[in-house]
Amino acid sequence: TLIEEFQLLCGRSGLRTVYNAIYMLGMLFGSFIFGWISDKYGRMKALMLAVVTVSLSGFFGAFGSGPMGLHAYAFLRFLTGMGGIGCFMVCFVLAVEHVGYKYTMLIGIAIEIPFALGEALLGMEAYFIRDWTTLQIVAYLPLLLLVGLYWVVPES
């Protein structure tokens, strides 16, 4: 597992909390940065940048090994957090802007459904793929296909 590979056991188990917090810190910075990009350059451009950020940082995180592996993995998790919240936030705003005031509450709730389905899919992938590096590749690399939405979804 990831915990065993980076030796985050016993005396170093407290570092797990620190490295999990780094992901959340990425979400904090990502919400600000992708919010600004979304307002300044457009929702779809921000969404595409967020998709590429989350996909590539998650993909490259699978290859963080060696003496600097844990620090590289933490940096890539920071970027993954940024891209992940950027994807969610920009999608939320796009969806709400497209449906109008009448369906704002409904779409604001319904947009959570794909997130729950994605978590269930990740759980099934993890059941069948026991190697964390392979799971990371399988989970993140296909997200690049979402870049095709740039030509399908209109700018709000």
Side-chain angles (χ1 to χ4, degrees):
T1 67
L2 179 72
I3 302 302
E4 291 169 341
E5 185 166 327
F6 291 130
Q7 298 174 356
L8 299 176
L9 306 163
C10 301
R12 292 181 49 155
S13 64
L15 288 175
R16 291 179 5 203
T17 305
V18 172
Y19 285 102
N20 284 332
I22 289 172
Y23 178 81
M24 299 306 264
L25 191 63
M27 291 178 71
L28 174 69
F29 280 91
S31 62
F32 174 76
I33 292 168
F34 283 104
W36 178 78
I37 292 170
S38 175
D39 289 340
K40 179 98 172 152
Y41 299 104
R43 311 269 186 249
M44 288 306 296
K45 288 179 181 154
L47 179 59
M48 294 304 107
L49 181 60
V51 165
V52 169
T53 301
V54 73
S55 181
L56 292 182
S57 62
F59 171 73
F60 288 123
F63 303 103
S65 60
M68 290 299 290
L70 185 57
H71 302 303
Y73 184 77
F75 174 71
L76 290 167
R77 287 297 290 168
F78 178 85
L79 293 177
T80 303
M82 284 180 62
I85 196 67
C87 287
F88 174 78
M89 194 174 59
V90 176
C91 282
F92 185 90
V93 172
L94 266 172
V96 168
E97 288 177 347
H98 280 301
V99 298
Y101 180 75
K102 185 176 179 182
Y103 298 105
T104 297
M105 185 173 66
L106 176 64
I107 199 69
I109 295 167
I111 202 166
E112 302 294 332
I113 295 169
F115 177 78
L117 294 174
E119 290 293 317
L121 176 64
L122 180 62
M124 287 188 285
E125 289 173 344
Y127 181 78
F128 293 106
I129 303 170
R130 296 299 185 166
D131 177 46
W132 75 268
T133 56
T134 306
L135 177 62
Q136 186 118 347
I137 292 167
V138 168
Y140 285 106
L141 199 56
L143 294 177
L144 282 177
L145 296 174
L146 295 174
V147 172
L149 291 174
Y150 185 78
W151 294 277
V152 177
V153 178
E155 183 71 60
S156 62

